[in-house]
Amino acid sequence: MINKIKDLLDEVQELKADSMEELEALRIKYLSKKGTISSLMNDFRNVAADQKREVGKRLNELKELAQNKINEMKEGFENLNASDSEYDLTRTSYPIPLGTRHPLSIVKKEICDIFARLGFSIAEGPEIEDDWHVFSSLNFAEDHPARDMQDTFFIRRQPDVILRTHTSSVQTRVMERQQPPVRIICPGRVYRNEAISYRAHCFFHQVEALYVDKDVSFADLKQVLLYFAKELFGEDTKIRLRPSYFPFTEPSAEMDISCNICGGKGCPFCKHTGWVEILGCGMVDPNVLDNCGIDSRIYSGYALGMGIERITNLKYRIKDLRLFSENDKRFLRQFEAAY
């Protein structure tokens, strides 16, 4: 038996085939159920007990050598056929349509680029959050309306786990692990339990900015807002700030820009006021800084946030928010040259 195995080992090492047909014939001859090696395997039960270990080892070596030899020749034929073919069967069929970025992605990138020129870096966080990072750390009272289930999506059986309602949760996470200076923007998707219509959706996108350092003032915030508005909407854009209220900023303000459609003269889009609201902002409340482990007696900061859909509507005059999430190719093709 051992002599037969040695002869077959020499024979297998010299195997050659000029075509796939010849290779298949060799496979059948040596490795099929009725092949030479299989016959030796069947005869193994007749081997004397004291020789079984040696014979079994050599049989396994023979079978492994034959399989590797045939697989190697098969791979060679496949590579040869692939290189000789004039067609790439993996290539997309013609004509290849050109894609486009989503309008929200276009506007988000433009916003992020503007703030990057001011030294802001991008920070991201989880969309599934806890009550502390979304509400409590941001100075929301226990009875604040934003905690109501009509506004917030709660994870079933886990009342403390929610879908974030704003990207401010990213700001609190950054402040918890990083001491000032902090200069970040937080783009991302947020969720609110609202009826879907042409003017509202249960999910949308925000970009928020945060700057915390020593001696940060409202004047710094106003200058950043003016620069941002002129970069995004044009050099002739004007801004105005109106007093407002947010739990996490004090003082707080809403920012309007001069209507980029009528130039501030008044039109149906701006409701004949000449102004369009685009974002909320303010100085970070000292309680928020203290909650995140930053000494509010030393540091101050400002924060601002805007809806990307709102900005996109202003730039491209899209009246129905549902178009952003319906993946209608006719709508998306309109933005092929927008970047």
Side-chain angles (χ1 to χ4, degrees), residues 124-301:
E124 296 180 335
E127 294 183 6
I128 300 177
E129 267 288 7
D130 54 54
D131 179 273
W132 169 257
H133 290 98
V134 175
F135 295 129
S136 298
S137 64
L138 291 168
N139 210 34
F140 281 82
E142 288 292 332
D143 58 350
H144 195 281
R147 293 176 177 267
D148 194 290
M149 288 192 67
Q150 300 303 313
D151 296 326
T152 305
F153 285 108
F154 290 84
I155 304 300
R156 182 180 296 181
R157 298 178 182 175
Q158 298 186 55
D160 190 48
V161 181
I162 61 179
L163 296 180
R164 66 183 182 188
T165 58
H166 47 202
T167 55
S168 301
S169 58
V170 181
Q171 299 177 8
T172 59
R173 286 185 175 275
V174 171
M175 286 190 288
E176 283 177 340
R177 65 174 184 264
Q178 176 183 333
Q179 284 296 303
V182 176
R183 195 193 297 257
I184 58 170
I185 54 172
C186 312
R189 179 180 291 184
V190 299
Y191 305 83
R192 293 183 187 174
N193 192 6
E194 298 183 3
I196 297 175
S197 67
Y198 75 95
R199 58 184 298 176
H201 211 293
C202 62
F203 69 86
F204 54 98
H205 301 79
Q206 285 186 337
V207 174
E208 299 193 29
L210 172 72
Y211 178 41
V212 180
D213 204 348
K214 295 179 179 178
D215 302 322
V216 177
S217 68
F218 204 98
D220 299 318
L221 170 61
K222 183 177 179 181
Q223 188 60 39
V224 166
L225 294 174
L226 181 60
Y227 174 81
F228 168 74
K230 289 180 177 291
E231 287 290 299
L232 191 63
F233 296 104
E235 188 62 33
D236 296 331
T237 304
K238 299 177 181 179
I239 68 170
R240 73 175 184 182
L241 298 173
R242 294 178 288 105
S244 185
Y245 166 77
F246 302 109
F248 37 85
T249 53
E250 179 60 37
S252 304
E254 299 277 2
M255 188 184 94
D256 303 332
I257 62 168
S258 54
C259 181
N260 61 331
I261 296 177
C262 65
K265 298 178 180 179
C267 67
F269 186 82
C270 61
K271 299 179 182 179
H272 301 284
T273 64
W275 298 94
V276 180
E277 176 191 327
I278 67 166
L279 59 82
C281 60
M283 300 300 294
V284 179
D285 192 294
N287 290 333
V288 174
L289 295 176
D290 293 333
N291 288 339
C292 295
I294 296 176
D295 193 340
S296 60
R297 295 168 299 178
I298 301 174
Y299 298 102
S300 59

